[in-house]
Amino acid sequence: LECSTRSFKLSYYNEYKSYLRLASRSLKMSPTVAKPFEHLPSNVVPVNYVLRLHPDLEQNTFKGQESIEVNVKESVNVIKMNSAEIEVQSAKVVINNSEVVPSNIATDANTETLTLTFGQSLPEGKGNVVLEFTGILNDKLRGFYRSAYTDNSGEKRRIAVTQFESTDARRAFPCWDEPAYKATFDVTLVAPAKCVALSNMPVVKEEIQDDLRISTYDRTPIMSTYLVAFVVGEFDYVEGRDENNVLIRVYTPLGKKEQGDFALDVAIKTLPFYAKYFEIKFPLPKLDLIAIPDFAAGAMENWGLVTYRETALLVDPLNTSSNTKQWVALVVGHELAHMWFGNLVTMQWWTHLWLNEGFASWIEYLCVDHCFPDWKIWLQYINMDFKRALQLDALDTSHPIEVPVGHPEEVDEIFDAISYCKGNSVIRMLHNWLGAEPFRKGLAHYLNKHQYKNAVTEQLWASLEELSGKPVNKVMSTWTSKMGYPMLTVSITENANGVRLNVKQQKFSATGDSGSSFEWMVPVTVITQSNSTPQKFLLDKKEDSFVLEGCKAGDWVKINPEQIGLFRVQYDEELLKRILPAIKNQTISAADRLGIQEDLFALAKAGYSNTANLLTLMGAYVNEREYVVLSSINGNLAELSSLFSHLPCSSQFKAMRRRIFSRILGEVGWEKRESDKHTDSLLRNMLIGALGKSEDKEVAEKCSELFEQHLKGDKPIPADIRSSVYLTVRQSGSEEDYAKLLSIFEKTDLHEERDRVQRVLGNGPNADLRSKTLDFSMGDKVRSNDTPFVISSCAASGADGRVQTWDFVKKNYSTFLDRFGRNMCCLYKNPFISKFN
């Protein structure tokens, strides 16, 4: 390629800065100004909600009544709670056997509050706030909202469902909608008799009146409002019990209950695994998992009633890929971890969100590794969550793990890869530093001490510190309170006294600007050619040196074995040269081969190293056959390809990718083999997709052949490679193939199949077809939660596609805001914006 460091950096920065200018000019971006916010007064607090809701699935409305038992801590004449998009018909307070009607009922749309003002002071003590109200089943995928699906007979089935995290319970019923105001809930749902009506707890009483089913549920444990849930609709289910006799059901659309079997199996294995790990049994008598057609996030951990996007729960035995099965297992593991970490012990306020999400995002891998040890899930973790954390946190616009949060709109902004991916990377690093058993015991101590209460980060550190004897708070505060992470520059000194490792830390920046004076307390682990036993040091200053025991002169040295520490490593040229043979003959682990390549790619992209070193390193991977390592290389080459797409060397770069991957595909083959492991299926799909994007003629012809056989019904494309075949077919730009893919999309009732199609529709060189796809993304055939994936397929098609997509987004930005509101944040930031990195 003969691309110098200078031309590489110019290519990267010119494209990057042009999009920043477009964003600034077109969307009139300005520094975020925090909105005024005050917590609810603590002089009146809820104890128990007796709640009755009657959703009307035809009119998209609901009626509600509630009696909230409260504790009036001091004499007041005002009661303030949260309420949004709800009309209160009547209100009163019953206290000391007397009814007091408010002199004024006021709602504030800006603060999302309901204020009851009384003509007399209410005395201290127990009382009940009694309300009657109405609301709407909205189409914004939050609060109490509406959804629907079409069954196998073509009939439309309507659904009412909730999504309350973070601050949307107030859209279903007036309440103290802050995590710290925990209470118990007695729920009754009135629904059409033909419908299933679900809530957090089991039904204790049910009656039929005319064509309505009135279901009353057992009282919940004390819990936060964002974990309350209701679902009304027509569903099938499969069920089983775990070893602790907890009843587990997986609910599916009608006619698809067999698609719930895999998730049920994972849940039955997972729940007792967590019960043993945390030393606390699951505290509810039942657990429901349900697939929702329209869902903004991947899933939601409502206590006892976990809601999921269909592709995160349902597995079709014939048409689901290995990659999707893996995703389902991870999401199930993640949400069930929240039953303890988040639900049983809840963060005090959203500032501590990472306590929920960072931990659940770490332990989901521990759970999946327990259930499916042959999946090499921890190795894949490095190329998924760990890599994502390093990418996002290198930006100057990143934020610390713990961010002061006020207004509810600020909460949505921190549901990002920092809270999830950096959070779980820090937890993983801490787990390794403390040791598996001290770490587990510390968690169990924390959960037992604070169960049914709220907690803050420092209380977790205190438990871990007490059980491990290490200065957890002192070390970890440097990781949670600062944005970014360090780059360790390393060299060695060899003399008659032995070998010393010289380490210097500085903040790593994606722009190459390391002006920050930040320092971290960095747990550093090292292995060497002559000593594979990990040696651990704590770098607690700007730079230091350490004696490497058992290391010989000339040895290669690997910093951060298994990529546990959250930092980049910059080796001097001599150390990098020494480790190349170990990569080529694979005497170091796959995780280490992956990490060295990832670090050097990031260093070259940011300008800390030159691309010549990177391309030299790539040559050492000539014998590489491990899926995760090859996937990492492919991802980085794809990013380079994107940056080079408008340069003369683009065709040469594609040729290089073809040379790298075509030989490996020849070894792996197109058909699944009896000897295949789980990761072999993932590798095959990755190779076909990479070669298709690189315009490999043989691969394109084979994909076209498989596609035609699939359409005729002669031979279905195997589920594991179907997405890459569809992608490669779209690369041709043929209007005929485009129409065939659209036909598949419209005829299938499998959401995963629709997802495969909609994620590739915008690929290809034809600008008219991209324009058609962009318009299609906003139509009624695409579910609103899938719109970003359709749009991002156009942005992924190349330099012209990115410009065309960006123009479309600017033109329709107000429509997006109106359609999605605050959900814009979680719907668009990952699938769409990532195409412009």
Side-chain angles (χ1 to χ4, degrees):
L1 286 175
E2 299 180 358
C3 290
S4 68
T5 303
R6 177 174 175 79
S7 67
F8 175 87
K9 289 181 68 176
L10 283 174
S11 166
Y12 173 71
Y13 283 118
N14 287 344
E15 182 161 355
Y16 178 63
K17 289 180 179 178
S18 70
Y19 282 108
L20 289 182
R21 287 195 297 269
L22 278 170
S24 177
R25 183 169 62 248
S26 304
L27 303 183
K28 297 181 175 61
M29 289 183 178
S30 60
T32 300
V33 178
K35 290 187 176 182
F37 173 76
E38 291 183 359
H39 288 285
L40 292 172
S42 59
N43 50 17
V44 180
V45 296
V47 176
N48 172 260
Y49 295 78
V50 178
L51 178 64
R52 180 185 175 102
L53 289 173
H54 181 181
D56 187 328
L57 302 184
E58 297 296 327
Q59 299 300 317
N60 296 322
T61 60
F62 63 89
K63 296 184 293 185
Q65 302 93 39
E66 65 180 329
S67 176
I68 312 170
E69 181 186 345
V70 296
N71 182 8
V72 182
K73 294 186 173 182
E74 61 185 47
S75 181
V76 296
N77 67 344
V78 171
I79 294 179
K80 181 180 284 189
M81 65 189 80
N82 294 114
S83 182
E85 299 174 358
I86 283 181
E87 293 186 12
V88 177
Q89 276 74 48
S90 68
K92 63 182 179 182
V93 170
V94 179
I95 194 164
N96 294 336
N97 297 317
S98 298
E99 291 188 1
V100 184
V101 177
S103 58
N104 186 52
I105 302 173
T107 57
D108 187 324
N110 290 324
T111 60
E112 299 183 343
T113 55
L114 167 68
T115 303
L116 307 179
T117 304
F118 299 88
Q120 64 188 75
S121 293
L122 303 175
E124 292 183 30
K126 298 287 186 181
N128 286 81
V129 179
V130 181
L131 302 168
E132 292 188 356
F133 54 91
T134 57
I136 57 170
L137 296 174
N138 68 71
D139 60 354
K140 300 294 191 293
L141 309 183
R142 61 182 177 138
F144 205 5
Y145 72 92
R146 62 183 183 265
S147 181
Y149 69 91
T150 302
D151 65 16
N152 294 334
S153 67
E155 185 175 350
K156 186 176 183 178
R157 307 286 181 169
R158 300 178 187 274
I159 300 169
V161 61
T162 56
Q163 170 58 40
F164 290 162
E165 189 178 34
S166 53
T167 56
D168 288 316
R170 63 192 67 179
R171 299 178 195 281
F173 56 98
C175 57
W176 278 256
D177 201 14
E178 297 183 12
Y181 288 113
K182 288 191 168 187
T184 56
F185 296 82
D186 295 300
V187 175
T188 297
L189 293 177
V190 182
K194 65 180 180 179
C195 288
V196 171
L198 302 172
S199 190
N200 304 80
M201 298 295 286
V203 173
V204 293
K205 180 183 177 183
E206 194 166 78
E207 57 182 308
I208 302 294
Q209 291 184 4
D210 299 326
D211 58 348
L212 296 176
R213 182 193 309 274
I214 303 173
S215 304
T216 301
Y217 304 87
D218 203 354
R219 175 170 291 186
T220 70
I222 185 170
M223 57 192 277
S224 302
T225 50
Y226 79 90
L227 297 170
V228 177
F230 330 114
V231 180
V232 174
E234 296 176 77
F235 300 94
D236 283 337
Y237 67 85
V238 291
E239 69 177 21
R241 291 185 180 271
D242 75 355
E243 64 184 51
N244 295 318
N245 204 37
V246 177
L247 176 63
I248 303 174
R249 286 179 174 173
V250 176
Y251 286 85
T252 75
L254 294 177
K256 296 184 178 181
K257 68 178 183 178
E258 74 283 351
Q259 295 182 23
D261 287 336
F262 178 76
L264 177 64
D265 180 60
V266 173
I268 287 174
K269 294 175 181 176
T270 297
L271 215 58
F273 170 75
Y274 286 149
K276 291 175 183 176
Y277 191 87
F278 298 131
E279 300 178 10
I280 302 173
K281 288 188 176 180
F282 181 64
L284 276 61
K286 66 92 176 176
L287 174 66
D288 296 328
L289 296 75
I290 186 167
I292 305 299
D294 298 286
F295 202 77
M300 175 60 207
E301 66 268 20
N302 314 299
W303 216 356
L305 176 55
V306 187
T307 45
Y308 293 81
R309 183 183 283 241
E310 286 188 351
T311 52
L313 187 69
L314 304 183
V315 170
D316 183 291
L318 296 177
N319 293 294
T320 292
S321 66
S322 298
N323 192 56
T324 297
K325 285 182 68 175
Q326 178 176 292
W327 170 239
V328 168
L330 285 168
V331 177
V332 170
H334 179 102
E335 303 308 325
L336 269 55
H338 278 310
M339 301 299 108
W340 288 265
F341 223 95
N343 299 6
L344 184 65
V345 179
T346 310
M347 75 253 148
Q348 181 72 21
W349 179 240
W350 299 103
T351 294
H352 306 280
L353 171 71
W354 89 279
L355 273 181
N356 282 17
E357 301 305 343
F359 180 80
S361 298
W362 170 78
I363 205 168
E364 69 185 60
Y365 286 89
L366 191 71
C367 162
V368 169
D369 189 53
H370 164 77
C371 295
F372 306 99
D374 60 324
W375 282 10
K376 299 183 179 180
I377 200 66
W378 278 118
L379 183 57
Q380 294 189 62
Y381 166 90
I382 301 171
N383 204 33
M384 295 191 292
D385 287 37
F386 186 76
K387 178 176 182 175
R388 183 70 180 132
L390 291 170
Q391 288 176 329
L392 185 59
D393 205 31
L395 301 177
D396 295 337
T397 51
S398 184
H399 62 80
I401 288 177
E402 278 199 348
V403 182
V405 171
H407 195 278
E409 290 184 8
E410 297 174 26
V411 178
D412 299 316
E413 295 174 8
I414 61 171
F415 278 87
D416 62 8
I418 297 299
S419 293
Y420 285 77
C421 300
K422 184 180 180 181
N424 72 44
S425 298
V426 167
I427 291 290
R428 178 170 170 258
M429 182 170 62
L430 178 61
H431 174 268
N432 181 72
W433 180 48
L434 299 183
E437 192 57 15
F439 180 84
R440 188 197 66 77
K441 287 182 176 180
L443 287 180
H445 179 271
Y446 166 81
L447 290 171
N448 277 280
K449 183 175 182 179
H450 301 288
Q451 59 183 314
Y452 301 109
K453 300 175 186 176
N454 297 85
V456 297
T457 300
E458 290 74 19
Q459 289 168 315
L460 173 60
W461 295 159
S463 288
L464 291 169
E465 195 163 294
E466 181 178 338
L467 272 293
S468 69
K470 292 187 177 182
V472 175
N473 185 57
K474 184 179 179 181
V475 173
M476 298 313 295
S477 61
T478 68
W479 292 92
T480 59
S481 62
K482 300 173 185 176
M483 60 177 271
Y485 56 86
M487 174 179 70
L488 304 187
T489 302
V490 298
S491 62
I492 56 171
T493 302
E494 298 173 341
N495 54 40
N497 296 322
V499 179
R500 293 189 71 88
L501 177 71
N502 309 307
V503 187
K504 180 180 180 180
Q505 66 164 294
Q506 66 183 94
K507 183 181 182 297
F508 178 84
S509 172
T511 62
D513 178 14
S514 299
S516 168
S517 59
F518 285 174
E519 289 183 21
W520 290 261
M521 297 187 74
V522 188
V524 180
T525 307
V526 185
I527 58 172
T528 68
Q529 187 171 351
S530 299
N531 186 2
S532 60
T533 301
Q535 300 176 63
K536 296 185 178 182
F537 314 101
L538 185 63
L539 180 65
D540 57 2
K541 59 185 73 171
K542 188 75 172 179
E543 56 184 301
D544 207 344
S545 65
F546 309 95
V547 174
L548 295 181
E549 301 292 343
C551 183
K552 299 177 182 178
D555 274 1
W556 55 253
V557 175
K558 174 64 176 69
I559 314 298
N560 201 19
E562 304 305 309
Q563 299 305 107
I564 300 293
L566 188 66
F567 49 82
R568 298 286 189 195
V569 178
Q570 183 176 36
Y571 297 95
D572 67 9
E573 288 197 16
E574 174 61 25
L575 284 178
L576 187 61
K577 181 180 177 181
R578 288 183 186 182
I579 208 165
L580 291 180
I583 295 172
K584 189 171 183 178
N585 61 32
Q586 300 186 0
T587 53
I588 60 173
S589 72
D592 289 337
R593 301 195 303 272
L594 167 64
I596 292 169
Q597 184 266 147
E598 279 288 339
D599 280 351
L600 192 54
F601 176 80
L603 292 167
K605 190 169 77 166
Y608 294 104
S609 181
N610 60 61
T611 46
N613 283 345
L614 177 63
L615 294 175
T616 299
L617 176 69
M618 290 291 187
Y621 291 84
V622 64
N623 298 318
E624 189 60 65
R625 293 299 180 269
E626 180 62 59
Y627 159 68
V628 178
V629 182
L630 290 170
S631 178
S632 168
I633 292 171
N634 177 53
N636 290 334
L637 290 177
E639 188 169 344
L640 289 176
S641 180
S642 175
L643 295 173
F644 293 154
S645 60
H646 56 288
L647 297 178
C649 65
S650 175
S651 60
Q652 294 168 283
F653 193 80
K654 289 178 181 177
M656 184 184 78
R657 290 181 75 191
R658 292 195 295 269
R659 286 196 299 273
I660 292 173
F661 294 122
S662 59
R663 182 179 69 255
I664 303 172
L665 179 60
E667 297 173 10
V668 173
W670 288 74
E671 300 287 340
K672 186 174 183 177
R673 304 161 298 187
E674 288 187 12
S675 60
D676 272 2
K677 302 182 293 292
H678 172 74
T679 51
D680 291 328
S681 298
L682 304 181
L683 174 61
R684 184 176 292 109
N685 186 57
M686 184 275 288
L687 292 170
I688 294 170
L691 289 167
K693 290 287 285 184
S694 301
E695 301 174 5
D696 186 287
K697 290 183 179 180
E698 290 185 11
V699 167
E701 290 172 0
K702 179 67 174 180
C703 286
S704 180
E705 176 188 339
L706 292 174
F707 186 61
E708 291 303 320
Q709 292 174 347
H710 182 75
L711 291 174
K712 293 176 183 177
D714 296 340
K715 183 180 180 182
I717 301 171
D720 281 335
I721 65 171
R722 201 176 298 174
S723 61
S724 287
V725 171
Y726 287 174
L727 173 67
T728 305
V729 167
R730 266 301 293 127
Q731 286 291 114
S732 71
S734 159
E735 291 191 29
E736 183 181 358
D737 287 338
Y738 183 91
K740 291 174 181 177
L741 283 166
L742 267 183
S743 178
I744 292 173
F745 179 90
E746 292 169 356
K747 291 179 181 178
T748 185
D749 67 346
L750 180 67
H751 190 78
E752 182 181 349
E753 185 73 350
R754 292 167 64 92
D755 194 51
R756 288 187 186 109
V757 174
Q758 65 194 12
R759 286 174 184 260
V760 304
L761 270 182
N763 273 278
N766 190 315
D768 290 336
L769 291 181
R770 281 198 301 268
S771 180
K772 184 177 180 179
T773 302
L774 290 168
D775 291 338
F776 176 73
S777 74
M778 304 295 287
D780 57 8
K781 291 183 178 179
V782 176
R783 293 191 180 276
S784 58
N785 53 298
D786 292 330
T787 297
F789 302 110
V790 183
I791 295 175
S792 67
S793 73
C794 299
S797 63
D800 293 340
R802 287 195 293 278
V803 173
Q804 185 178 1
T805 305
W806 187 242
D807 288 341
F808 177 83
V809 170
K810 289 184 293 181
K811 180 180 177 181
N812 292 278
Y813 195 71
S814 60
T815 303
F816 295 150
L817 285 175
D818 180 65
R819 179 178 294 191
F820 301 109
R822 296 209 318 251
N823 275 329
M824 277 281 288
C825 193
C826 67
L827 282 169
Y828 281 85
K829 63 188 174 189
N830 284 336
F832 171 64
I833 298 300
S834 62
K835 298 297 183 287
F836 293 91
N837 281 351

